[in-house]
Amino acid sequence: MHRRRFLGTLGAGTGVLLAGCLGSRVDGEVALNETPLVFSHEYTTQATPSGTRVYVDVTAENGGDEQITPDGQVPNITCTFLDNAGETLHEAGKQLVQPVAVGESMSLEFPLTIDTEDVTRYELRCEWVES
């Protein structure tokens, strides 16, 4: 019984410690979406031997009436990590290269491995670009 209590306390303490690695909450929003994709997103933090990492996990579902194909124009999804002053810390983008059927969803991940203590928010943008 004492061992379970100790392990439970240790696990809870570790979770609190790791949650404190990043500092404050990171807010996120879809700042622009020109496509029929519907986004849900959240961030997580992970402590590693080399420091804290922030991951933005994105699910994009085709909420339109037609399949999205890689022919012609394709969605380009960008995640921009910002500090409290609105300055860009890091930006990464991904173009869809696989067809996305109506109602089908896909998962994307955007990591931040530098300046993680300064990040306060992220913005997702999705624009049509020529393939």
Side-chain angles (χ1 to χ4, degrees):
M1 182 68 164
H2 294 293
R3 183 176 175 189
R4 282 190 200 152
R5 187 178 308 143
F6 172 75
L7 291 175
T9 302
L10 179 64
T14 303
V16 169
L17 178 64
L18 293 179
C21 289
L22 185 59
S24 62
R25 176 178 161 78
V26 178
D27 294 316
E29 68 175 332
V30 177
L32 174 70
N33 185 6
E34 298 178 342
T35 71
L37 294 173
V38 178
F39 293 96
S40 60
H41 53 92
E42 65 182 5
Y43 80 96
T44 57
T45 59
Q46 178 186 36
T48 68
S50 60
T52 303
R53 293 183 182 184
V54 177
Y55 295 94
V56 174
D57 296 308
V58 177
T59 301
E61 180 180 340
N62 183 353
D65 298 332
E66 297 179 13
Q67 176 172 302
I68 297 172
T69 66
D71 303 325
Q73 290 188 326
V74 296
N76 184 56
I77 303 164
T78 305
C79 182
T80 305
F81 294 92
L82 305 161
D83 66 12
N84 199 33
E87 297 293 321
T88 299
L89 299 172
H90 179 68
E91 184 173 271
K94 298 181 181 187
Q95 286 186 12
L96 298 186
V97 294
Q98 300 279 337
V100 183
V102 174
E104 186 176 84
S105 64
M106 66 181 152
S107 298
L108 304 164
E109 182 178 76
F110 295 95
L112 176 67
T113 58
I114 58 167
D115 298 324
T116 57
E117 66 280 353
D118 295 330
V119 67
T120 58
R121 64 190 182 101
Y122 63 88
E123 291 182 348
L124 297 171
R125 303 174 75 79
C126 187
E127 301 173 276
W128 290 110
V129 295
E130 296 297 322
S131 61

